[in-house]
Structures are given as C-alpha cells and as structure tokens.
Amino acid sequence: MTTLGYALLGLLAREPASGYDLKRQLQAPIGFFWRARHSQIYPELARLEAIGLVTYQVVAQHDLPDKKVYTITAEGRGALRDWVATPAEAPVVRDEVLLKTFSLWLVEPAAAVALVRDQERRHVEQLQVYEGLHQQLVQRAGAALTHWDSPYFASYITLQKGIGAERQYLEWCRWVVLLLEQPA
Amino acid sequence: MTTLGYALLGLLAREPASGYDLKRQLQAPIGFFWRARHSQIYPELARLEAIGLVTYQVVAQHDLPDKKVYTITAEGRGALRDWVATPAEAPVVRDEVLLKTFSLWLVEPAAAVALVRDQERRHVEQLQVYEGLHQQLVQRAGAALTHWDSPYFASYITLQKGIGAERQYLEWCRWVVLLLEQPA
DNA sequence: TCCTACATGTAAGGTGTTACATGATTCC
DNA sequence: GGAATCATGTAACACCTTACATGTAGGA
C-alpha cells in the first residue's frame, strides 16, 4: 500500500466521496498534510477498489456528469487503523526556500529581503486559510472537538500543527528580514 | 536544472567536495533542507560537469580510494545566484505523521499516545543535533555570523529555521499528549 | 572474520508532475 | 464567445528509492 492510498482511506473513513471530492481536499491550500493531483488519485482509487479496501457506486446527477462515490469497507478501515498505529518515519524535509536560504549569502541584501518577504506573504495567506478552517471546525464540532474518538478531534490537532508551523515560518521570515535590514 | 543540482552547487559554492562528501552533507541528520542518496548525486554531478557548472580533479589518496573533487565554476556560481534570486514556490508538505494524525481518532488513546511520544523522541534527538551544529557554527564563524555575504550567516539562519521547526514540532507533540491523557 | 568507512558508479522500480483527452453546464 | 467548474481518465516524463556492483583499509 502506498502513502497516498492511506491518505485517501483517511478521507473516506470520514465520509464517502468521489475522486473529484478527494482531489479538492488534497489540493492547495487545504491539503496541508498531503497533496495529490487527480492523475494520481483516480488510478489509486481503482487499486484500492481492486483489493477490496473501498467500493463505489455510480451516482447520476441532474445537469452534472455522473460520479463514482467511493465508500471505505470494513477491511479498508482495518488497514487504515493498522497503518496509523505503526510508528512513522521522520518527515522528509524538502524545502526549496531553505535551500535558497542556504545560498543567500551570494545575493545582495535587497534581493534576499525580497525573497524572504515573498515567503512571508505566502505564509500569512496560508495561516489565514488555516485559521478560517479552524473557525469552521470549532463551530461545527462543538463538544466533539476534544473527544479522542471523533474525527473533529483529529482534524483539530492536525490543523493546530499546520497553524503552529505557519506561525513559526512567519516568525523566522520576520527575524531574517530584521537581520538583513539592520545596518552593517 | 533540477533542484538537486542547485543543492549540490550550493554546497560546492562554499568549498570543493567529492560526491561522497556531498552525500554525507545531504544525509540525515544534518541535511535538514534537502536530502539525497549517492545514486542520485553521482549522475547529477556528471550532468553539472557536462554543462560546465562544475569541474573536477581526480585526487589520489594514500590508503584510501581515489576521489573526484568537484569545484564550482564561474558559470555555476552565476546559475546558482540567478536561481536563489528567483521567487520560490511554497514548500511541498508531505508529512506522514500528520497524515496518521488525521486518522488518529480510529485508534485507542494508548496507541495514539505511543505514536506521538515516538515522534517527540525523534524530534528531541534532531533538535540536539541542530543545537550541536549551532554551537560549532558560532565558534567557527565569529563575527562573520551576522555578515550577510558570509556563508556562515546563511548557515546560521538556515539552522535557526530548523531549530525553530523542531521546537514547534516538539511543543505540538507535548500538547497532543496532554489532550490525549487528560481524563475524558 | 566480519563489519564499517571510503569511494563511485548503474539498474530497476515506484512515486509524482505535466500534459493529453473528452464533454456538459454555468457565469462573465 | 470564452473561461471556470464538474467529472474521469491515460500517457509521457521527471524524480527518488532500493538494490546491484566492485574494491581497499582498518577496527572489533
């Protein structure tokens, strides 16, 4: 099983969805834990169906194309649970911005500041998106927000990680700009 | 040009190195901005050499195998500088732990706590590595640490990002454990 | 004697991105 | 008329990981 497969199961464990629905959830800016394109999602759903972890029903819609609505099976839920309980590897760090930062000494301070400010702007936007999602979540979840067996709880702690990471990124951007702008 | 190519140029812009040296720098736990295996590095160095961004000299060693020591060329430095000054995309988030967190509501609190504690331990270790690198850096760099045109400065701000990210990850792990362990 | 470090490569396979492909409806 | 959304797929390519391959020197 691929990691993407588990990402899809993780979404389907909450509610049935079409490939298109899943695509939207695994897209920027809300897919903050994993991203995927539809060209990866459709074949993966077919594989999950082939091994019995999901099933689907074709649903006809008025004025819109038919869609395949996928549902997780009991085996799918079991596979997902087993995977979740298995210790995870450390995240693969692959940040192009940090790579550029590492060679930032090669460019003029003005260019360096432009680069970091651009990132700052990006992360401000992303933080706003996450905070919006958080507001929605708090309103919808109610008391379930802090119940360990509620999907709302899992969404809540995942989102909090995203929010914390964005804040930390922002703080760092601002600190770097301060360093670059202070007179030598 | 691939991102890995720029990662290699970024290291070679600081000092000449063999493929093996570069491999060590792009490995866990010190390769905190980008990681790569030797099977990717050697062919990439050959490509960089083919397009004139690096050159190499074979260096014979007593009691150890010969090595190819690569040096960045003026064109290589120029290409790297141009790339650094170009706005970067937002980092691709691909964190298996967050993916598991998203489905954490499916497992018992005990299993969930074990998972998060395991990550906590990992990040404590990583943080210690980074803090060690930071100590080394401060001692070696001296006043250059805050000079924008010094590679030490770039290393410093990159490392600070890594340290901040690890601390944020740790705080989050501890917060989640608290939530999971508090009586329902 | 076996394992690790040094040192450099290739090959096969899996994962992910970009582009190709189609077709209806709704909004500007 | 053109672009965006809904909806699903395939194909080609780029990137990354794992495994294969070889050889010396030093330590346990």
Side-chain angles (χ1 to χ4, degrees):
Chain A
M1 273 287 294
T2 63
T3 310
L4 175 62
Y6 291 112
L8 297 175
L9 289 179
L11 290 165
L12 293 174
R14 288 150 176 256
E15 55 176 354
S18 67
Y20 196 81
D21 294 331
L22 294 167
K23 184 207 87 179
R24 269 183 302 200
Q25 294 181 78
L26 292 178
Q27 243 180 353
I30 60 158
F32 52 95
F33 41 80
W34 206 266
R35 292 199 182 155
R37 314 285 166 122
H38 75 277
S39 60
Q40 235 191 318
I41 293 170
Y42 290 117
E44 186 62 35
L45 282 171
R47 269 192 295 276
L48 292 175
E49 199 264 339
I51 58 176
L53 303 185
V54 302
T55 54
Y56 72 89
Q57 267 183 280
V58 176
V59 174
Q61 296 178 107
H62 78 106
D63 290 353
L64 280 176
D66 291 2
K67 61 178 174 179
K68 292 184 180 177
V69 173
Y70 287 85
T71 308
I72 194 166
T73 62
E75 301 87 69
R77 213 168 264 272
L80 178 60
R81 208 184 335 246
D82 290 348
W83 174 75
V84 170
T86 305
E89 298 300 306
V92 181
V93 183
R94 194 150 276 164
D95 189 337
E96 205 183 306
V97 175
L98 281 190
L99 208 52
K100 293 194 180 199
T101 304
F102 188 69
S103 295
L104 208 65
W105 58 285
L106 291 168
V107 302
E108 299 292 312
V113 167
L115 195 81
V116 179
R117 280 216 192 279
D118 182 55
Q119 283 303 312
E120 186 188 336
R121 186 185 48 72
R122 277 198 157 82
H123 289 287
V124 166
E125 281 169 21
Q126 190 64 58
L127 181 58
Q128 281 169 355
V129 171
Y130 290 167
E131 282 174 341
L133 291 173
H134 178 256
Q135 286 302 316
Q136 278 176 37
L137 186 65
V138 168
Q139 276 160 25
R140 282 187 207 163
L145 199 71
T146 48
H147 291 356
W148 67 266
D149 57 349
S150 159
Y152 290 119
F153 168 74
S155 291
Y156 172 55
I157 59 177
T158 312
L159 244 183
Q160 282 303 119
K161 179 66 183 72
I163 289 173
E166 291 303 325
R167 286 198 179 133
Q168 193 269 322
Y169 220 122
L170 268 177
E171 268 176 43
W172 178 80
C173 286
R174 284 162 185 163
W175 173 74
V176 171
V177 168
L178 271 179
L179 279 186
L180 286 167
E181 285 185 339
Q182 88 190 347
Chain B
M1 273 286 297
T2 63
T3 310
L4 175 62
Y6 291 111
L8 298 175
L9 288 179
L11 289 165
L12 292 174
R14 288 150 177 257
E15 55 176 353
S18 68
Y20 196 81
D21 294 332
L22 295 167
K23 183 208 87 177
R24 268 182 304 200
Q25 294 180 78
L26 293 178
Q27 243 180 352
I30 60 160
F32 51 95
F33 40 81
W34 205 265
R35 290 195 184 158
R37 314 286 165 121
H38 75 278
S39 60
Q40 236 191 315
I41 294 169
Y42 289 119
E44 186 63 36
L45 282 171
R47 270 192 294 275
L48 292 175
E49 200 264 337
I51 57 176
L53 303 185
V54 302
T55 55
Y56 72 89
Q57 268 184 281
V58 176
V59 174
Q61 296 178 108
H62 78 106
D63 290 354
L64 280 177
D66 291 2
K67 60 178 175 179
K68 291 184 180 176
V69 174
Y70 287 85
T71 309
I72 194 167
T73 63
E75 302 88 68
R77 213 168 266 271
L80 178 60
R81 208 183 336 245
D82 290 349
W83 174 76
V84 170
T86 305
E89 297 301 304
V92 182
V93 183
R94 194 150 276 165
D95 189 335
E96 204 183 306
V97 176
L98 282 190
L99 208 52
K100 294 195 179 200
T101 303
F102 188 69
S103 296
L104 208 64
W105 60 285
L106 290 169
V107 303
E108 299 292 311
V113 167
L115 195 82
V116 179
R117 281 216 191 279
D118 181 56
Q119 284 303 312
E120 186 190 336
R121 186 185 48 72
R122 276 197 158 82
H123 289 286
V124 166
E125 282 169 21
Q126 191 63 59
L127 181 58
Q128 281 170 356
V129 171
Y130 291 168
E131 283 174 341
L133 290 173
H134 178 255
Q135 287 301 316
Q136 278 176 37
L137 186 65
V138 168
Q139 276 161 24
R140 282 187 206 162
L145 199 71
T146 48
H147 292 356
W148 66 267
D149 57 349
S150 160
Y152 289 119
F153 168 73
S155 291
Y156 173 55
I157 58 177
T158 312
L159 243 183
Q160 282 304 120
K161 178 66 184 72
I163 289 173
E166 291 302 327
R167 287 199 178 133
Q168 194 269 321
Y169 219 121
L170 268 177
E171 269 175 44
W172 177 80
C173 286
R174 284 163 185 163
W175 173 74
V176 171
V177 169
L178 273 179
L179 279 186
L180 286 167
E181 285 185 340
Q182 89 191 346

